[in-house]
Amino acid sequence: MRLLSAVGLTLVCFLALFSFQLLWTHDRLEHLRDLGRRGLHIRRAGRRQQLETGAEQIGARLDRLASAGADLDQVAGDAVAMRTDGGAAGEGSLRGGPHSMPNPAIIVFCYNRTDYLNQTLHSLMGLQGLSRYSLYISQDGDSPGVAELVGQLGASLRRAARDSAFWQKAPRVAQLPGAKQPGHAWLAQHYKWGLDRVFNERGHSHVVIVEDDMLFSPDFLLYFEATAPLLDADPSLWCVSSWNDNGFEKGHGWDVRKLFRTSYFPGLGWMMRRELWQELGPKWPLDHWDHWMRDQEVSHGRECICPEVNRNKNIGEVGANMNKQAFKRYLQTMAWNANQTVIDYGDLSRLLRPAYQAALQAALAAAEPFEISYKRDAPKPQPGKTYLIPYVIERYSRVALKLKLWPYPRGHHQHVAIIPWENSTFLVADRRFCPLLPKEQQLPPTPGMRAVPGERHQSCLAVCEARGLVCYSKDFWWLNSCSVMRKHFPCEKGCTIELGPDVPAYVSQLMGWASVTLSIVDHQAS
């Protein structure tokens, strides 16, 4: 009996000691986990501070050197060298994730299209990651129906997002002179008002900008979180967009995981940093804000990151810059990621300017020239091969029609677009303006070319003949930029992009603005 009691007492002591050890071990593990989490937070915060400090330094240098005509490649190369702990470019890897932005927001710009807005907000509420964002719905004016809709969805929006607010820019007051202000002007002025509130009043670090006629891919917000570090690491990037201007569905082999750089600002669901708004906000235009973003004197050669497969679907048949015919021809036929969720895009350092440009230049040098032809016996591209299509803008429509691209050049890095088409890859490069092309493929301006301004109602031929000069139509493209026009005309009200056969032109001394075209310049333009 005593033996059994001794055994029982020993067993109780053993169990008590084991329980104490288990509790102590659990507490110790929790303590270690807590230290690990705090250490990870400190490392992340320290790295973010390093990136922000480095980006601010390089960004300031970019502004100084760009205004002095410095080489952006050199500036971007310096930034890449600083992006890790003082190490050389290429060390480590660059990846984003859920905590890559300290204080992000998403703003939905709307006016009076309640049906579209309802679809957009429901699409937003289903997105993974929305709980990390502040959500703002900004209405231009107080058109009835919008406030009622937002009120109905208010509780659901607040549960889905980190926080939510509804704003109204009312009353609507036109800032352009004239009896009727166009839709694109109202939109530009609304952008200015809303983005000032997001950045200047609410102090957000990043904002994703959308409008009331969009549906979103399931990984829409995850895409921005994954790519946000690129904006910190490379000052030659100024935005991330969810849109591929050439992303038509038919015939293309777009990869849902591939990203690229574009010199042509795409808009349509895009993200910017607070530092960029501090630069652009004070000089934001009263109209055509997207055309203004494409002005070289505004962009300073900076680019955007885009996905090959669009991360939003535009449903707005009619809007400030859209009509039903154009919508059905272009936006309705775009491919988009309707059901996949991509979390990891790999090491993003390949998208930093030095690495991206080196890889593209090597691809151009190795690509096989290919001529677009509509003849039945024309050579066909071989699967898996890379081809080069050098073009002049006057004949770009043939290329766009064959490869099912936007009708004028978009989605290109320094005027070369990468197009997967029918199991081959095509590098579509502008012979005039692509500096990455082999020299023998480039088309320089006529030696001795100079721009001569004419008078009103005076043709280019007359201007040249009066000075003993000759006009070459192919050289007009070298004059087709706001920066060139400003050297010869006062452009009192700025420079904008217009379509037509009579541009580039200084419209008149009374109207006081210059036009830059995206279409072919007429040979008689002045």
Side-chain angles (χ1 to χ4, degrees):
M1 192 68 175
R2 289 179 180 177
L3 179 61
L4 290 175
S5 298
V7 171
L9 182 61
T10 302
L11 182 61
V12 169
C13 292
F14 174 77
L15 290 174
L17 183 61
F18 178 76
S19 298
F20 175 77
Q21 178 70 25
L22 185 63
L23 290 172
W24 182 87
T25 303
H26 176 77
D27 181 69
R28 190 65 179 169
L29 286 173
E30 285 299 310
H31 180 64
L32 290 173
R33 287 193 189 100
D34 183 61
L35 288 175
R37 282 192 292 265
R38 280 186 284 173
L40 180 60
H41 175 75
I42 291 170
R43 288 195 297 273
R44 283 175 174 168
R47 176 160 176 78
R48 182 180 296 123
Q49 182 63 40
Q50 280 185 328
L51 286 173
E52 288 178 354
T53 302
E56 288 173 2
Q57 293 172 354
I58 294 298
R61 186 180 174 206
L62 170 66
D63 291 337
R64 293 194 302 270
L65 296 184
S67 62
D71 185 2
L72 188 58
D73 290 334
Q74 181 61 47
V75 181
D78 292 346
V80 173
M82 291 179 64
R83 70 182 175 84
T84 53
D85 302 337
E91 291 182 359
S93 64
L94 188 64
R95 295 173 186 268
H99 305 290
S100 58
M101 296 180 283
N103 186 19
I106 181 167
I107 185 168
V108 183
F109 286 103
C110 61
Y111 172 40
N112 64 354
R113 301 184 295 179
T114 308
D115 290 343
Y116 287 157
L117 179 61
N118 185 37
Q119 296 179 65
T120 296
L121 293 180
H122 275 91
S123 181
L124 265 180
M125 286 190 290
L127 293 182
Q128 186 176 343
L130 184 59
S131 60
R132 294 186 286 272
Y133 291 74
S134 296
L135 172 61
Y136 302 107
I137 303 162
S138 183
Q139 182 187 10
D140 191 8
D142 54 3
S143 179
V146 172
E148 181 181 352
L149 171 64
V150 175
Q152 292 171 355
L153 298 177
S156 298
L157 292 170
R158 286 189 293 274
R159 282 194 300 269
R162 183 174 62 186
D163 52 74
S164 177
F166 173 56
W167 301 331
Q168 288 180 314
K169 183 178 179 290
R172 297 180 89 215
V173 178
Q175 295 178 254
L176 286 182
K180 187 177 181 181
Q181 182 171 268
H184 59 75
W186 289 110
L187 186 59
Q189 294 157 31
H190 188 194
Y191 265 55
K192 163 69 172 169
W193 183 85
L195 292 174
D196 272 345
R197 297 196 72 174
V198 168
F199 285 122
N200 300 342
E201 296 180 17
R202 302 298 177 104
H204 287 285
S205 63
H206 300 72
V207 64
V208 176
I209 301 161
V210 302
E211 296 178 15
D212 60 352
D213 55 3
M214 295 180 180
L215 303 180
F216 306 101
S217 299
D219 59 353
F220 179 77
L221 295 177
L222 304 182
Y223 162 73
F224 289 111
E225 292 177 342
T227 52
L230 285 165
L231 299 183
D232 294 326
D234 189 346
S236 70
L237 293 170
W238 67 341
C239 94
V240 175
S241 174
S242 64
W243 185 257
N244 176 4
D245 278 316
N246 290 317
F248 297 98
E249 188 168 15
K250 187 176 180 180
H252 294 105
W254 304 118
D255 186 334
V256 73
R257 295 180 181 274
K258 282 190 177 180
L259 312 176
F260 65 95
R261 297 176 63 117
T262 175
S263 308
Y264 187 95
F265 175 75
L268 290 175
W270 59 288
M271 180 178 72
M272 68 190 308
R273 298 169 72 232
R274 181 174 64 246
E275 291 79 3
L276 180 61
W277 185 248
Q278 290 171 345
E279 172 195 335
L280 300 182
K283 52 188 177 182
W284 193 258
L286 296 177
D287 61 355
H288 285 304
W289 71 270
D290 50 344
H291 294 340
W292 178 79
M293 293 278 287
R294 294 163 187 148
D295 185 346
Q296 176 66 22
E297 295 186 359
V298 175
S299 70
H300 298 302
R302 289 172 291 186
E303 298 183 307
C304 297
I305 294 295
C306 299
E308 283 195 354
V309 180
N310 292 322
R311 289 319 201 263
N312 79 78
K313 180 179 178 63
N314 195 293
I315 57 174
E317 291 188 29
V318 178
N321 300 303
M322 184 57 58
N323 58 59
K324 288 185 177 181
Q325 183 179 0
F327 176 84
K328 290 180 179 179
R329 184 175 181 182
Y330 301 119
L331 299 187
Q332 197 172 54
T333 61
M334 286 283 181
W336 77 301
N337 178 30
N339 49 39
Q340 294 189 54
T341 298
V342 179
I343 298 175
D344 187 7
Y345 294 88
D347 182 6
L348 299 179
S349 61
R350 68 186 184 279
L351 293 164
L352 298 172
R353 186 182 177 102
Y356 189 86
Q357 195 150 291
L360 186 53
Q361 197 158 13
L364 285 165
E368 181 178 323
F370 189 87
E371 183 177 353
I372 292 294
S373 174
Y374 290 88
K375 297 179 180 179
R376 291 185 178 180
D377 58 348
K380 295 186 180 299
Q382 299 300 309
K385 296 193 67 173
T386 299
Y387 296 95
L388 169 63
I389 301 180
Y391 69 88
V392 292
I393 190 63
E394 299 91 323
R395 296 177 64 81
Y396 182 77
S397 60
R398 288 172 54 85
V399 178
L401 186 63
K402 187 71 172 180
L403 300 184
K404 301 294 186 294
L405 306 177
W406 200 268
Y408 42 84
R410 292 188 176 195
H412 52 74
H413 168 72
Q414 293 204 333
H415 301 277
V416 55
I418 307 170
I419 308 297
W421 174 254
E422 294 187 346
N423 301 315
S424 302
T425 300
F426 289 88
L427 306 178
V428 183
D430 190 324
R431 293 186 61 199
R432 285 189 179 92
F433 299 111
C434 179
L436 307 179
L437 272 174
K439 288 295 183 182
E440 63 271 15
Q441 295 282 3
Q442 296 183 22
L443 181 64
T446 301
M449 184 202 80
R450 61 189 177 100
V452 180
E455 301 295 331
R456 292 183 67 192
H457 309 301
Q458 192 177 25
S459 73
C460 293
L461 291 177
V463 172
C464 291
E465 288 175 357
R467 293 166 172 77
L469 303 174
V470 177
C471 283
Y472 289 103
S473 59
K474 70 181 183 68
D475 285 334
F476 271 95
W477 290 100
W478 298 101
L479 314 180
N480 197 38
S481 73
C482 292
S483 58
V484 173
M485 295 297 287
R486 288 190 180 105
K487 292 178 182 179
H488 301 281
F489 299 101
C491 305
E492 298 91 340
K493 295 184 179 179
C495 180
T496 187
I497 296 176
E498 297 287 342
L499 300 177
D502 57 345
V503 284
Y506 177 64
V507 175
S508 76
Q509 293 179 355
L510 296 177
M511 294 183 66
W513 52 274
S515 299
V516 177
T517 183
L518 294 175
S519 65
I520 296 175
V521 176
D522 188 274
H523 295 182
Q524 300 297 318
S526 62

